């Protein structure tokens, strides 16, 4: 099991998801799972997610659901997570290369 889930609720954001994906692939610590919650997208989000999964660079779980809005996507993500920690990164954002490393180092200091 990975230490942390990075979850991303998304709706019709295929045009920008690759930037986030590349930032996740560049993490200095890969002890995370990317949980992509597709909240009913009608664009190429599903095809893009399956391409990312096929590249096998990071652990990705893709979940499609009928549109439930932001809160519904967050609720689904929390229901599907299996890690003790999580962080939400929006589809139009990205993570610095050392973000996971810093989060886990901080967590380790707290326990």
């Amino acid at each position: 099991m990975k230490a942390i889930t990075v979850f991303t609720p998304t709706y019709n954001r295929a045009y920008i998801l690759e930037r986030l994906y590349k930032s996740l692939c560049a993490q200095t610590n890969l002890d995370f799972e990317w949980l992509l919650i597709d909240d009913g997208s009608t664009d190429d989000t599903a095809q893009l997610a399956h391409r990312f999964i096929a590249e096998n660079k990071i652990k990705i779980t893709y979940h499609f659901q009928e549109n439930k809005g932001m809160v519904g996507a967050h609720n689904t993500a929390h229901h599907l997570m299996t890690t003790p920690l999580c962080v939400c990164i929006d589809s139009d954002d990205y993570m610095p290369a050392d973000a996971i490393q810093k989060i886990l180092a901080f967590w380790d200091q707290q326990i």
Side-chain angles (χ1 to χ4, degrees):
M1 174 173 52
K2 298 291 186 177
I4 186 169
T5 297
V6 176
F7 74 94
T8 302
T10 188
Y11 177 77
N12 287 341
R13 293 297 188 101
Y15 70 94
I16 198 154
L17 272 175
E18 188 142 8
R19 181 176 70 161
L20 172 55
Y21 171 67
K22 286 180 178 179
S23 79
L24 294 173
C25 290
Q27 290 300 302
T28 57
N29 185 326
L30 297 179
D31 194 11
F32 69 91
E33 174 180 350
W34 186 25
L35 176 56
L36 189 56
I37 304 295
D38 185 345
D39 197 36
S41 295
T42 58
D43 65 359
D44 294 329
T45 297
Q47 292 87 343
L48 190 61
H50 291 297
R51 179 173 63 88
F52 295 160
I53 292 167
E55 289 178 6
N56 201 31
K57 293 182 179 179
I58 58 174
K59 172 131 175 64
I60 301 172
T61 299
Y62 172 75
H63 177 81
F64 181 87
Q65 65 183 25
E66 291 186 26
N67 187 273
K68 296 180 181 179
M70 182 63 76
V71 172
H74 277 249
N75 287 341
T76 298
H78 286 282
H79 176 74
L80 295 174
M81 283 180 219
T82 60
T83 61
L85 300 173
C86 69
V87 61
C88 178
I89 303 296
D90 287 334
S91 54
D92 63 347
D93 214 341
Y94 62 94
M95 294 183 82
D98 62 349
I100 296 295
Q101 183 66 42
K102 285 183 175 180
I103 292 167
L104 295 179
F106 180 79
W107 178 252
D108 286 343
Q109 291 175 359
Q110 303 309 306
I111 55 174

